[in-house]
Amino acid sequence: MPAGGMIAGRALSTAFGLLMVAATAIAAQGVSLIAAAVAATAVVLGVRFASAATLAVMTSVVTAMLAGTPPMGTALAGLAATAYLVLRHARNVESVTASPTIVGALGLTAVGLGATAIPVSVPWLPLAAPVVVLLSYLIVVQPLLAARSRRTS
């Protein structure tokens, strides 16, 4: 990758990382504010060390839980975290700014917001949700795995 493209990609990923932290820290006070500061520090360290980007996202999740961030802030943070990690770990910005990546991130954010907007009080729903997510993931990934196994054999 040309040096200019790498610098632009890192700058853009850092901007999304800081947006992620800001979105989770909107309601932060006390311990959650400390977690937000750790997340922001990890974003800055993520410029040089890719593994710090994952730490930044995980610490932002902790910040959102401790601060009780509203659903819209959490959705914005999740969308920014997706963009942050995708851009941070990409070899070139052009490959990750394709339509499927953007549509998938926006679509899943909309689904998450829709799930929080509809008040449902079904006691078994939290137990079924992980199974549904896993099955959905397997359905989506199955064609990719089949194509990969055909290439290797």
Side-chain angles (χ1 to χ4, degrees):
M1 172 194 285
M6 181 177 282
I7 291 171
R10 294 276 170 90
L12 191 57
S13 72
T14 302
F16 276 115
L18 292 174
L19 175 63
M20 168 194 67
V21 173
T24 58
I26 283 177
Q29 351 176 357
V31 176
S32 60
L33 201 55
I34 294 169
V38 170
T41 303
V43 168
V44 172
L45 288 173
V47 172
R48 177 69 177 102
F49 305 104
S51 59
T54 304
L55 176 66
V57 171
M58 299 311 289
T59 310
S60 289
V61 170
V62 170
T63 302
M65 289 187 324
L66 291 174
T69 305
M72 187 59 87
T74 306
L76 176 61
L79 186 60
T82 301
Y84 174 52
L85 289 176
V86 166
L87 286 166
R88 177 58 189 95
H89 293 288
R91 291 208 170 121
N92 60 14
V93 177
E94 294 81 21
S95 66
V96 296
T97 55
S99 293
T101 305
I102 295 169
V103 169
L106 290 173
L108 289 172
T109 300
V111 167
L113 276 174
T116 61
I118 302 169
V120 177
S121 59
V122 181
W124 53 264
L125 193 59
L127 297 174
V131 175
V132 170
V133 168
L134 178 64
L135 291 175
S136 301
Y137 175 77
L138 291 174
I139 289 169
V140 169
V141 172
Q142 194 277 332
L144 300 172
L145 294 175
R148 186 176 185 182
S149 67
R150 279 184 287 208
R151 277 193 313 227
T152 58
S153 56

